[in-house]
Coordinates of all heavy atoms in Angstrom, one line a residue:
M1 N 85.6 1.1 35.7 CA 86.8 0.4 36.2 C 86.6 -0.4 37.5 O 87.1 -1.5 37.7 CB 88.0 1.4 36.4 CG 89.3 0.7 36.5 SD 89.7 -0.1 35.1 CE 91.2 -1.0 35.6
N2 N 85.7 0.2 38.3 CA 85.3 -0.5 39.6 C 84.6 -1.8 39.3 O 84.8 -2.8 40.0 CB 84.5 0.3 40.5 CG 85.3 1.4 41.1 OD1 86.5 1.3 41.3 ND2 84.7 2.5 41.4
K3 N 83.8 -1.9 38.2 CA 83.1 -3.1 37.9 C 84.1 -4.2 37.5 O 83.9 -5.3 37.8 CB 82.1 -2.9 36.8 CG 80.9 -2.2 37.2 CD 79.8 -2.0 36.1 CE 78.6 -1.3 36.6 NZ 77.6 -1.2 35.5
V4 N 85.1 -3.8 36.7 CA 86.1 -4.7 36.3 C 86.9 -5.3 37.4 O 87.1 -6.5 37.6 CB 87.1 -4.1 35.3 CG1 88.3 -5.0 35.0 CG2 86.4 -3.7 34.0
K5 N 87.2 -4.4 38.4 CA 87.9 -4.9 39.6 C 87.0 -5.9 40.4 O 87.5 -6.9 40.9 CB 88.3 -3.7 40.6 CG 89.4 -2.9 40.0 CD 89.7 -1.7 41.0 CE 90.8 -0.9 40.4 NZ 91.1 0.3 41.3
K6 N 85.7 -5.6 40.5 CA 84.9 -6.5 41.2 C 84.8 -7.8 40.5 O 84.7 -8.9 41.2 CB 83.5 -5.9 41.4 CG 83.4 -4.7 42.4 CD 82.1 -4.2 42.5 CE 82.1 -3.0 43.5 NZ 80.7 -2.4 43.6
I7 N 84.7 -7.8 39.2 CA 84.6 -9.1 38.4 C 85.9 -9.9 38.6 O 85.8 -11.1 38.8 CB 84.3 -8.8 37.0 CG1 82.9 -8.2 36.8 CG2 84.5 -10.0 36.1 CD1 82.5 -7.7 35.4
V8 N 87.0 -9.2 38.5 CA 88.3 -9.9 38.6 C 88.4 -10.5 40.0 O 88.9 -11.7 40.2 CB 89.5 -9.0 38.2 CG1 90.8 -9.6 38.6 CG2 89.4 -8.6 36.8
T9 N 88.1 -9.7 41.0 CA 88.1 -10.2 42.4 C 87.2 -11.4 42.6 O 87.6 -12.4 43.2 CB 87.7 -9.1 43.4 OG1 88.6 -8.0 43.1 CG2 87.9 -9.6 44.8
G10 N 86.0 -11.4 42.0 CA 85.1 -12.5 42.1 C 85.7 -13.8 41.4 O 85.5 -14.9 41.9
V11 N 86.3 -13.5 40.2 CA 86.8 -14.7 39.5 C 88.0 -15.3 40.4 O 88.1 -16.5 40.5 CB 87.3 -14.3 38.2 CG1 88.2 -15.3 37.5 CG2 86.2 -14.0 37.2
I12 N 88.8 -14.4 41.0 CA 89.9 -15.0 41.8 C 89.4 -15.8 43.0 O 89.8 -16.9 43.2 CB 90.7 -13.8 42.3 CG1 91.4 -13.0 41.2 CG2 91.7 -14.2 43.4 CD1 92.0 -11.7 41.6
F13 N 88.4 -15.3 43.7 CA 87.9 -16.0 44.8 C 87.2 -17.3 44.4 O 87.3 -18.3 45.1 CB 87.0 -15.1 45.7 CG 87.7 -14.1 46.4 CD1 87.4 -12.8 46.4 CD2 88.7 -14.5 47.3 CE1 88.1 -11.8 47.1 CE2 89.5 -13.5 48.0 CZ 89.1 -12.2 47.9
M14 N 86.4 -17.3 43.3 CA 85.8 -18.4 42.8 C 86.8 -19.5 42.4 O 86.6 -20.7 42.7 CB 84.9 -18.1 41.5 CG 83.6 -17.4 41.9 SD 82.5 -18.5 42.6 CE 82.1 -19.6 41.3
T15 N 87.9 -19.1 41.8 CA 89.0 -20.1 41.4 C 89.6 -20.7 42.7 O 89.8 -21.9 42.7 CB 90.0 -19.4 40.6 OG1 89.4 -18.8 39.4 CG2 91.1 -20.4 40.1
M16 N 89.9 -19.9 43.7 CA 90.5 -20.4 44.9 C 89.5 -21.3 45.6 O 89.9 -22.4 46.1 CB 90.9 -19.3 45.8 CG 92.1 -18.5 45.2 SD 92.5 -17.1 46.2 CE 94.2 -17.5 46.6
L17 N 88.2 -20.9 45.7 CA 87.2 -21.8 46.3 C 87.1 -23.1 45.6 O 87.0 -24.2 46.3 CB 85.9 -21.0 46.4 CG 84.7 -21.8 47.0 CD1 85.0 -22.0 48.5 CD2 83.4 -21.0 46.8
L18 N 86.9 -23.0 44.3 CA 86.8 -24.3 43.5 C 88.1 -25.2 43.7 O 87.9 -26.4 43.7 CB 86.5 -24.0 42.0 CG 85.1 -23.5 41.8 CD1 85.0 -23.1 40.3 CD2 84.1 -24.5 42.1
G19 N 89.2 -24.5 43.7 CA 90.4 -25.3 43.9 C 90.5 -26.1 45.2 O 90.8 -27.2 45.3
S20 N 90.0 -25.4 46.3 CA 90.0 -26.0 47.6 C 88.9 -27.1 47.7 O 89.1 -28.2 48.3 CB 89.8 -25.0 48.7 OG 88.5 -24.4 48.6
V21 N 87.8 -26.9 47.0 CA 86.7 -27.9 47.1 C 87.1 -29.1 46.1 O 86.9 -30.2 46.5 CB 85.4 -27.3 46.6 CG1 84.3 -28.4 46.3 CG2 84.9 -26.3 47.6
C22 N 87.7 -28.8 45.0 CA 88.0 -29.8 44.1 C 89.1 -30.8 44.6 O 89.0 -32.0 44.4 CB 88.6 -29.1 42.8 SG 89.1 -30.3 41.6
F23 N 90.0 -30.3 45.4 CA 91.1 -31.2 45.8 C 91.0 -31.6 47.3 O 91.9 -32.2 47.9 CB 92.5 -30.5 45.6 CG 92.8 -30.4 44.1 CD1 92.6 -29.2 43.5 CD2 93.2 -31.5 43.4 CE1 92.8 -29.1 42.1 CE2 93.5 -31.5 42.1 CZ 93.3 -30.3 41.4
A24 N 89.8 -31.4 47.8 CA 89.6 -31.8 49.2 C 89.3 -33.4 49.2 O 88.7 -33.9 48.3 CB 88.4 -31.1 49.8
S25 N 90.0 -34.1 50.1 CA 89.9 -35.5 50.0 C 88.7 -36.0 50.9 O 89.0 -36.5 52.0 CB 91.2 -36.2 50.4 OG 91.6 -35.7 51.7
S26 N 87.5 -35.8 50.5 CA 86.4 -36.2 51.2 C 85.8 -37.5 50.7 O 85.7 -37.6 49.4 CB 85.3 -35.1 51.2 OG 84.1 -35.6 51.7
P27 N 85.5 -38.5 51.4 CA 85.0 -39.7 50.9 C 83.6 -39.6 50.2 O 83.2 -40.4 49.4 CB 84.8 -40.7 52.1 CG 84.9 -39.8 53.3 CD 85.6 -38.5 52.9
T28 N 82.8 -38.5 50.5 CA 81.5 -38.3 49.9 C 81.6 -37.6 48.6 O 80.6 -37.5 47.9 CB 80.6 -37.5 50.9 OG1 81.2 -36.3 51.2 CG2 80.4 -38.3 52.2
L29 N 82.7 -37.1 48.2 CA 82.9 -36.3 47.0 C 83.0 -37.3 45.8 O 83.8 -38.2 45.8 CB 84.1 -35.5 47.0 CG 84.3 -34.4 45.9 CD1 83.2 -33.4 46.0 CD2 85.6 -33.7 46.1
V30 N 82.1 -37.2 44.9 CA 82.0 -38.1 43.8 C 83.1 -37.8 42.8 O 83.5 -36.6 42.6 CB 80.6 -38.0 43.0 CG1 80.6 -38.9 41.8 CG2 79.5 -38.3 44.0
T31 N 83.7 -38.8 42.2 CA 84.9 -38.6 41.3 C 84.5 -37.7 40.1 O 85.3 -36.9 39.8 CB 85.4 -40.0 40.8 OG1 85.7 -40.8 42.0 CG2 86.7 -39.8 40.0
G32 N 83.4 -37.9 39.6 CA 82.9 -37.1 38.4 C 82.8 -35.7 38.8 O 83.1 -34.7 38.0
T33 N 82.3 -35.4 40.0 CA 82.1 -34.0 40.5 C 83.5 -33.4 40.7 O 83.7 -32.2 40.4 CB 81.4 -33.9 41.8 OG1 80.1 -34.6 41.6 CG2 81.1 -32.5 42.2
Q34 N 84.4 -34.2 41.2 CA 85.8 -33.7 41.4 C 86.4 -33.3 40.0 O 87.1 -32.2 39.9 CB 86.7 -34.7 42.0 CG 88.1 -34.2 42.4 CD 88.9 -35.3 43.1 OE1 88.4 -36.4 43.3 NE2 90.0 -34.9 43.7
K35 N 86.2 -34.1 39.0 CA 86.7 -33.8 37.6 C 86.0 -32.6 37.1 O 86.7 -31.7 36.5 CB 86.6 -35.0 36.7 CG 87.1 -34.7 35.3 CD 87.3 -35.9 34.5 CE 87.8 -35.7 33.2 NZ 88.4 -34.5 32.8
L36 N 84.8 -32.4 37.3 CA 84.0 -31.3 36.8 C 84.6 -30.0 37.5 O 84.8 -29.0 36.8 CB 82.5 -31.4 37.1 CG 81.7 -30.2 36.8 CD1 81.6 -30.0 35.3 CD2 80.3 -30.3 37.4
L37 N 84.7 -30.0 38.8 CA 85.3 -28.8 39.5 C 86.7 -28.5 39.0 O 87.1 -27.4 38.9 CB 85.2 -29.1 41.0 CG 83.8 -29.1 41.6 CD1 83.9 -29.4 43.1 CD2 83.1 -27.7 41.4
S38 N 87.5 -29.5 38.8 CA 88.9 -29.3 38.3 C 88.8 -28.7 36.9 O 89.7 -27.8 36.6 CB 89.6 -30.7 38.2 OG 90.9 -30.5 37.7
D39 N 87.9 -29.1 36.0 CA 87.8 -28.5 34.7 C 87.4 -27.1 34.8 O 87.9 -26.2 34.1 CB 86.8 -29.3 33.8 CG 87.3 -30.7 33.4 OD1 88.6 -30.9 33.6 OD2 86.5 -31.5 33.0
V40 N 86.4 -26.8 35.6 CA 85.9 -25.4 35.8 C 87.0 -24.5 36.4 O 87.2 -23.4 35.9 CB 84.7 -25.3 36.8 CG1 84.4 -23.9 37.2 CG2 83.5 -26.0 36.1
E41 N 87.9 -25.1 37.2 CA 89.0 -24.3 37.8 C 90.0 -24.0 36.6 O 90.5 -22.9 36.5 CB 89.7 -25.0 38.9 CG 90.9 -24.2 39.4 CD 91.6 -25.0 40.5 OE1 91.5 -26.3 40.5 OE2 92.3 -24.4 41.3
G42 N 90.2 -24.9 35.8 CA 91.1 -24.7 34.6 C 90.5 -23.6 33.7 O 91.3 -22.8 33.2
W43 N 89.2 -23.6 33.5 CA 88.6 -22.5 32.7 C 88.8 -21.2 33.3 O 89.0 -20.2 32.7 CB 87.2 -22.8 32.4 CG 87.0 -23.8 31.3 CD1 86.7 -25.1 31.4 CD2 87.0 -23.5 29.9 NE1 86.6 -25.7 30.2 CE2 86.8 -24.8 29.2 CE3 87.3 -22.4 29.1 CZ2 86.8 -24.8 27.8 CZ3 87.2 -22.5 27.8 CH2 87.0 -23.7 27.1
L44 N 88.6 -21.1 34.6 CA 88.7 -19.9 35.4 C 90.2 -19.4 35.4 O 90.4 -18.2 35.2 CB 88.2 -20.0 36.8 CG 86.7 -20.1 37.0 CD1 86.4 -20.3 38.4 CD2 86.0 -18.9 36.4
I45 N 91.1 -20.3 35.4 CA 92.5 -19.8 35.3 C 92.8 -19.2 33.9 O 93.4 -18.2 33.8 CB 93.5 -21.0 35.6 CG1 93.5 -21.3 37.1 CG2 94.9 -20.6 35.2 CD1 94.2 -22.6 37.5
G46 N 92.2 -19.9 32.9 CA 92.4 -19.3 31.6 C 91.7 -18.0 31.4 O 92.2 -17.1 30.7
L47 N 90.6 -17.8 32.1 CA 89.9 -16.5 32.0 C 90.7 -15.4 32.8 O 90.8 -14.3 32.3 CB 88.5 -16.7 32.7 CG 87.7 -15.4 32.8 CD1 87.3 -15.0 31.3 CD2 86.4 -15.6 33.6
E48 N 91.4 -15.8 33.8 CA 92.3 -14.9 34.6 C 93.4 -14.4 33.7 O 93.8 -13.3 33.6 CB 92.8 -15.5 35.8 CG 91.7 -15.7 36.9 CD 92.2 -16.5 38.1 OE1 93.4 -16.9 38.1 OE2 91.4 -16.7 39.0
V49 N 94.0 -15.4 32.9 CA 95.1 -15.1 32.1 C 94.6 -14.1 30.9 O 95.3 -13.1 30.7 CB 95.7 -16.3 31.4 CG1 96.7 -16.0 30.3 CG2 96.4 -17.2 32.5
A50 N 93.4 -14.4 30.4 CA 92.9 -13.5 29.3 C 92.6 -12.1 29.8 O 92.9 -11.2 29.2 CB 91.6 -14.2 28.8
I51 N 92.0 -12.0 31.0 CA 91.8 -10.7 31.6 C 93.1 -10.0 31.9 O 93.2 -8.8 31.6 CB 90.9 -10.8 32.9 CG1 89.5 -11.3 32.6 CG2 90.9 -9.5 33.7 CD1 88.7 -11.7 33.8
T52 N 94.1 -10.6 32.3 CA 95.4 -10.0 32.6 C 96.0 -9.5 31.3 O 96.5 -8.3 31.3 CB 96.3 -11.0 33.3 OG1 95.7 -11.4 34.6 CG2 97.6 -10.3 33.6
V53 N 96.0 -10.3 30.3 CA 96.5 -9.9 29.0 C 95.8 -8.7 28.4 O 96.4 -7.7 28.0 CB 96.5 -11.1 28.0 CG1 96.9 -10.6 26.6 CG2 97.5 -12.1 28.5
V54 N 94.5 -8.8 28.4 CA 93.7 -7.6 27.9 C 93.9 -6.3 28.7 O 94.2 -5.3 28.1 CB 92.1 -7.9 27.9 CG1 91.3 -6.7 27.6 CG2 91.9 -9.1 26.9
L55 N 94.0 -6.4 30.0 CA 94.2 -5.2 30.8 C 95.6 -4.7 30.6 O 95.8 -3.5 30.6 CB 94.0 -5.5 32.3 CG 92.5 -5.6 32.8 CD1 92.5 -6.0 34.2 CD2 91.9 -4.2 32.6
A56 N 96.6 -5.6 30.5 CA 98.0 -5.2 30.2 C 98.1 -4.5 28.9 O 98.8 -3.4 28.8 CB 98.9 -6.4 30.3
I57 N 97.5 -5.0 27.9 CA 97.5 -4.4 26.5 C 96.9 -3.0 26.6 O 97.4 -2.0 26.1 CB 96.9 -5.3 25.4 CG1 97.8 -6.5 25.2 CG2 96.7 -4.5 24.2 CD1 97.1 -7.6 24.3
W58 N 95.7 -3.0 27.2 CA 94.9 -1.7 27.3 C 95.8 -0.6 28.1 O 95.9 0.5 27.7 CB 93.6 -2.0 28.0 CG 92.8 -0.7 28.2 CD1 92.3 0.1 27.3 CD2 92.4 -0.2 29.5 NE1 91.6 1.1 27.8 CE2 91.6 0.9 29.2 CE3 92.5 -0.6 30.8 CZ2 91.0 1.7 30.2 CZ3 91.9 0.2 31.8 CH2 91.2 1.3 31.5
R59 N 96.4 -1.0 29.2 CA 97.2 -0.1 30.0 C 98.4 0.3 29.3 O 99.0 1.4 29.4 CB 97.5 -0.7 31.4 CG 96.2 -0.8 32.2 CD 96.6 -0.5 33.6 NE 95.4 -0.8 34.5 CZ 94.8 0.1 35.2 NH1 95.3 1.3 35.3 NH2 93.8 -0.2 36.0
G60 N 99.0 -0.6 28.5 CA 100.2 -0.3 27.7 C 99.9 0.7 26.6 O 100.7 1.6 26.4
I61 N 98.7 0.6 26.0 CA 98.3 1.6 25.0 C 98.1 3.0 25.7 O 98.5 4.0 25.2 CB 97.0 1.2 24.3 CG1 97.3 0.0 23.4 CG2 96.4 2.3 23.5 CD1 96.1 -0.7 22.8
I62 N 97.4 3.0 26.9 CA 97.3 4.2 27.6 C 98.7 4.8 27.9 O 98.9 6.0 27.8 CB 96.4 4.0 28.9 CG1 95.0 3.7 28.4 CG2 96.5 5.2 29.8 CD1 94.1 3.4 29.6
W63 N 99.6 4.0 28.4 CA 100.9 4.5 28.7 C 101.6 5.1 27.5 O 102.2 6.1 27.6 CB 101.8 3.3 29.3 CG 103.2 3.6 29.6 CD1 103.7 4.7 30.2 CD2 104.3 2.8 29.3 NE1 105.0 4.7 30.3 CE2 105.5 3.5 29.7 CE3 104.5 1.6 28.7 CZ2 106.7 3.0 29.6 CZ3 105.7 1.1 28.5 CH2 106.8 1.8 29.0
Q64 N 101.5 4.5 26.3 CA 102.2 5.0 25.1 C 101.5 6.3 24.7 O 102.2 7.1 24.1 CB 102.1 3.9 24.0 CG 102.9 2.7 24.3 CD 104.4 3.1 24.4 OE1 105.0 3.8 23.7 NE2 105.1 2.5 25.4
K65 N 100.2 6.4 24.9 CA 99.5 7.6 24.4 C 99.5 8.7 25.5 O 99.1 9.9 25.1 CB 98.1 7.3 24.1 CG 97.9 6.4 22.9 CD 96.5 6.0 22.8 CE 95.9 6.5 21.5 NZ 94.5 6.2 21.3
A66 N 100.0 8.5 26.7 CA 100.0 9.5 27.7 C 100.9 10.7 27.5 O 101.9 10.5 26.8 CB 100.3 8.8 29.1
E67 N 100.5 11.8 28.0 CA 101.4 12.9 28.0 C 102.6 12.7 28.9 O 102.6 11.8 29.7 CB 100.7 14.2 28.5 CG 99.5 14.5 27.6 CD 99.8 15.0 26.2 OE1 100.9 15.7 26.1 OE2 99.1 14.8 25.3
E68 N 103.6 13.5 28.7 CA 104.9 13.4 29.5 C 104.7 13.3 31.1 O 105.3 12.6 31.7 CB 105.9 14.4 29.2 CG 107.1 14.2 28.4 CD 107.6 12.8 28.3 OE1 108.2 12.2 29.2 OE2 107.4 12.2 27.2
E69 N 103.8 14.2 31.5 CA 103.6 14.3 33.0 C 102.7 13.1 33.5 O 102.7 12.9 34.7 CB 102.9 15.6 33.4 CG 101.6 15.9 32.8 CD 101.7 16.6 31.4 OE1 102.8 16.9 30.9 OE2 100.6 16.9 30.9
E70 N 102.0 12.4 32.6 CA 101.1 11.4 33.0 C 101.8 10.0 32.8 O 101.3 9.0 33.3 CB 99.8 11.4 32.2 CG 99.0 12.6 32.4 CD 97.8 12.7 31.5 OE1 97.7 11.8 30.6 OE2 97.0 13.6 31.6
K71 N 102.9 9.9 32.1 CA 103.6 8.7 31.9 C 104.0 7.9 33.1 O 103.8 6.7 33.1 CB 104.8 8.9 31.0 CG 104.4 9.0 29.5 CD 105.6 8.7 28.6 CE 105.2 8.9 27.2 NZ 104.8 7.7 26.5
P72 N 104.5 8.5 34.1 CA 104.9 7.7 35.3 C 103.7 7.0 36.0 O 103.8 5.9 36.4 CB 105.6 8.7 36.3 CG 106.0 9.8 35.4 CD 105.0 9.9 34.3
R73 N 102.6 7.7 36.0 CA 101.4 7.1 36.6 C 100.8 6.0 35.8 O 100.5 4.9 36.3 CB 100.3 8.2 36.8 CG 99.2 7.7 37.6 CD 98.1 8.7 37.8 NE 97.5 8.8 36.5 CZ 96.4 9.6 36.2 NH1 95.8 10.3 37.2 NH2 95.9 9.6 35.0
A74 N 100.9 6.2 34.4 CA 100.4 5.1 33.6 C 101.3 3.9 33.5 O 100.9 2.8 33.5 CB 100.3 5.7 32.1
R75 N 102.6 4.2 33.7 CA 103.6 3.1 33.7 C 103.4 2.2 35.0 O 103.5 1.0 35.0 CB 105.0 3.6 33.6 CG 106.0 2.4 33.6 CD 107.4 2.9 33.3 NE 108.3 1.8 33.4 CZ 109.6 1.9 33.5 NH1 110.1 3.0 33.7 NH2 110.3 0.8 33.5
K76 N 103.2 3.0 36.1 CA 102.9 2.3 37.4 C 101.6 1.4 37.4 O 101.6 0.3 37.9 CB 102.8 3.4 38.5 CG 102.7 2.8 39.9 CD 102.7 3.9 40.9 CE 102.6 3.4 42.3 NZ 102.6 4.4 43.3
A77 N 100.6 1.9 36.7 CA 99.4 1.2 36.5 C 99.6 -0.1 35.7 O 99.1 -1.2 36.0 CB 98.3 2.0 35.9
L78 N 100.4 0.0 34.6 CA 100.7 -1.1 33.8 C 101.5 -2.1 34.6 O 101.2 -3.3 34.6 CB 101.5 -0.7 32.6 CG 102.1 -1.8 31.7 CD1 100.9 -2.6 31.1 CD2 103.0 -1.2 30.6
T79 N 102.5 -1.7 35.3 CA 103.3 -2.6 36.1 C 102.4 -3.3 37.2 O 102.6 -4.5 37.4 CB 104.5 -1.8 36.8 OG1 105.2 -1.1 35.8 CG2 105.4 -2.8 37.6
G80 N 101.6 -2.5 37.8 CA 100.7 -3.1 38.9 C 99.8 -4.2 38.2 O 99.5 -5.2 38.9
T81 N 99.2 -3.9 37.0 CA 98.4 -4.9 36.4 C 99.1 -6.2 36.1 O 98.6 -7.3 36.4 CB 97.9 -4.3 35.1 OG1 97.1 -3.2 35.3 CG2 97.0 -5.3 34.3
I82 N 100.4 -6.1 35.6 CA 101.1 -7.3 35.3 C 101.5 -8.1 36.5 O 101.4 -9.3 36.6 CB 102.4 -6.9 34.5 CG1 102.0 -6.4 33.1 CG2 103.3 -8.1 34.4 CD1 103.1 -5.8 32.3
V83 N 101.9 -7.3 37.6 CA 102.3 -8.0 38.9 C 101.1 -8.7 39.5 O 101.1 -9.8 40.0 CB 102.9 -7.0 39.8 CG1 103.1 -7.6 41.2 CG2 104.3 -6.6 39.3
A84 N 99.9 -8.0 39.5 CA 98.7 -8.6 40.1 C 98.3 -9.8 39.3 O 97.9 -10.8 39.9 CB 97.6 -7.5 40.1
G85 N 98.4 -9.8 38.0 CA 98.1 -11.0 37.2 C 99.0 -12.1 37.5 O 98.5 -13.3 37.6
I86 N 100.3 -11.9 37.6 CA 101.2 -13.0 37.9 C 100.9 -13.5 39.3 O 100.9 -14.7 39.5 CB 102.6 -12.4 37.9 CG1 103.0 -12.2 36.4 CG2 103.7 -13.4 38.4 CD1 104.3 -11.4 36.2
V87 N 100.6 -12.6 40.3 CA 100.4 -13.1 41.7 C 99.1 -14.0 41.7 O 99.0 -15.1 42.3 CB 100.2 -11.9 42.6 CG1 99.6 -12.4 43.9 CG2 101.6 -11.3 42.8
V88 N 98.0 -13.5 41.0 CA 96.8 -14.2 41.0 C 96.9 -15.6 40.3 O 96.4 -16.6 40.9 CB 95.7 -13.4 40.3 CG1 94.4 -14.2 40.0 CG2 95.3 -12.2 41.2
I89 N 97.6 -15.6 39.2 CA 97.7 -16.9 38.5 C 98.6 -17.8 39.3 O 98.4 -19.0 39.4 CB 98.3 -16.6 37.1 CG1 97.2 -15.9 36.2 CG2 98.7 -17.9 36.4 CD1 97.7 -15.3 35.0
S90 N 99.6 -17.3 40.0 CA 100.5 -18.1 40.8 C 99.8 -18.7 42.0 O 99.9 -19.9 42.3 CB 101.7 -17.4 41.3 OG 102.5 -16.9 40.2
L91 N 98.9 -17.9 42.6 CA 98.1 -18.4 43.8 C 97.1 -19.4 43.3 O 97.0 -20.4 44.1 CB 97.4 -17.2 44.4 CG 98.3 -16.3 45.3 CD1 97.4 -15.1 45.8 CD2 98.9 -17.0 46.4
T92 N 96.5 -19.3 42.2 CA 95.5 -20.3 41.8 C 96.2 -21.6 41.4 O 95.6 -22.6 41.5 CB 94.6 -19.8 40.7 OG1 95.4 -19.3 39.6 CG2 93.7 -18.6 41.2
A93 N 97.4 -21.5 40.9 CA 98.2 -22.7 40.6 C 98.7 -23.4 41.8 O 99.0 -24.5 41.9 CB 99.3 -22.4 39.6
L94 N 98.9 -22.6 42.9 CA 99.5 -23.1 44.1 C 98.5 -23.9 44.9 O 98.8 -24.9 45.6 CB 100.0 -21.9 45.0 CG 100.7 -22.2 46.2 CD1 102.1 -22.9 45.9 CD2 101.0 -20.9 47.0
V95 N 97.2 -23.5 44.9 CA 96.2 -24.3 45.6 C 96.1 -25.8 45.2 O 96.2 -26.6 46.2 CB 94.8 -23.6 45.4 CG1 93.7 -24.4 46.0 CG2 94.8 -22.2 46.1
P96 N 96.0 -26.1 44.0 CA 96.0 -27.6 43.7 C 97.3 -28.2 44.1 O 97.3 -29.4 44.5 CB 95.9 -27.6 42.2 CG 95.3 -26.4 41.8 CD 95.8 -25.4 42.8
F97 N 98.4 -27.5 44.0 CA 99.7 -28.1 44.4 C 99.7 -28.4 45.9 O 100.2 -29.5 46.3 CB 100.9 -27.1 44.1 CG 102.2 -27.6 44.5 CD1 102.9 -28.6 43.8 CD2 102.9 -27.0 45.6 CE1 104.1 -29.0 44.2 CE2 104.1 -27.4 46.0 CZ 104.7 -28.4 45.3
I98 N 99.2 -27.5 46.7 CA 99.2 -27.8 48.2 C 98.2 -28.9 48.5 O 98.5 -29.8 49.3 CB 98.8 -26.5 48.9 CG1 99.9 -25.5 48.8 CG2 98.5 -26.8 50.4 CD1 99.6 -24.1 49.3
F99 N 97.1 -28.9 47.9 CA 96.0 -29.9 48.2 C 96.4 -31.3 47.6 O 95.9 -32.3 48.1 CB 94.7 -29.5 47.7 CG 94.0 -28.6 48.6 CD1 93.8 -27.3 48.2 CD2 93.5 -29.0 49.8 CE1 93.1 -26.4 49.0 CE2 92.9 -28.1 50.6 CZ 92.7 -26.8 50.3
S100 N 97.4 -31.4 46.7 CA 97.8 -32.7 46.2 C 98.6 -33.5 47.2 O 98.6 -34.7 47.2 CB 98.7 -32.5 44.9 OG 99.9 -31.9 45.3
Y101 N 99.1 -32.8 48.2 CA 99.9 -33.5 49.3 C 98.8 -34.2 50.3 O 99.3 -35.0 51.1 CB 100.8 -32.5 50.1 CG 102.0 -32.2 49.3 CD1 102.1 -31.0 48.6 CD2 103.0 -33.1 49.2 CE1 103.3 -30.8 47.9 CE2 104.2 -32.9 48.5 CZ 104.3 -31.7 47.9 OH 105.5 -31.4 47.2
Y102 N 97.6 -33.8 50.3 CA 96.7 -34.3 51.2 C 95.8 -35.5 50.6 O 95.0 -36.0 51.3 CB 95.7 -33.2 51.7 CG 96.4 -32.2 52.5 CD1 96.7 -30.9 52.0 CD2 96.8 -32.5 53.8 CE1 97.4 -30.0 52.8 CE2 97.5 -31.6 54.6 CZ 97.8 -30.3 54.1 OH 98.4 -29.4 54.8
Q103 N 96.1 -35.9 49.4 CA 95.4 -36.9 48.8 C 96.1 -38.3 49.0 O 97.2 -38.4 49.1 CB 95.2 -36.7 47.3 CG 94.2 -35.7 47.1 CD 93.8 -35.5 45.6 OE1 94.5 -36.0 44.8 NE2 92.8 -34.8 45.4

């Protein structure tokens, strides 16, 4: 599970970094490179959505299979996964929105 957290965290930071580089209004940034970085950011956002959905389904199955005393903990983990996914996707969508005002 720690490897999954590290991978998800890495994807989040890569998406935010690419978003800031992609929408920076630098005269030396080539238009083709800007489009390439924008496309990569779109793929990473899609990957984040896929990871969130898979983790939510997996945690939902664990919650449904859990014993009565383990259900609150499993439900809290499922809720945390969904909230974290929504926050991450919202933040990565927010970066291009903010940088669009600087162009």
Side-chain angles (χ1 to χ4, degrees):
M1 192 64 189
N2 286 334
K3 286 185 179 182
V4 173
K5 287 181 183 179
K6 288 180 182 179
I7 290 171
V8 171
T9 305
V11 168
I12 292 166
F13 287 128
M14 284 289 292
T15 304
M16 295 174 116
L17 177 67
L18 285 175
S20 63
V21 170
C22 176
F23 292 100
S25 57
S26 172
T28 60
L29 190 62
V30 179
T31 306
T33 306
Q34 186 177 9
K35 180 161 177 26
L36 175 69
L37 291 175
S38 179
D39 291 344
V40 169
E41 182 183 20
W43 280 100
L44 288 176
I45 289 174
L47 183 64
E48 290 171 1
V49 170
I51 289 172
T52 300
V53 168
V54 168
L55 283 175
I57 290 171
W58 178 60
R59 295 215 186 240
I61 291 170
I62 290 175
W63 174 45
Q64 293 298 318
K65 292 174 120 183
E67 299 291 327
E68 252 341 283
E69 62 272 358
E70 296 174 358
K71 278 202 184 261
R73 190 181 73 169
R75 183 174 180 198
K76 186 176 180 181
L78 173 63
T79 306
T81 300
I82 293 171
V83 169
I86 290 171
V87 167
V88 166
I89 293 166
S90 299
L91 286 177
T92 54
L94 186 66
V95 170
F97 178 73
I98 291 171
F99 280 111
S100 70
Y101 284 103
Y102 293 105
Q103 288 185 348

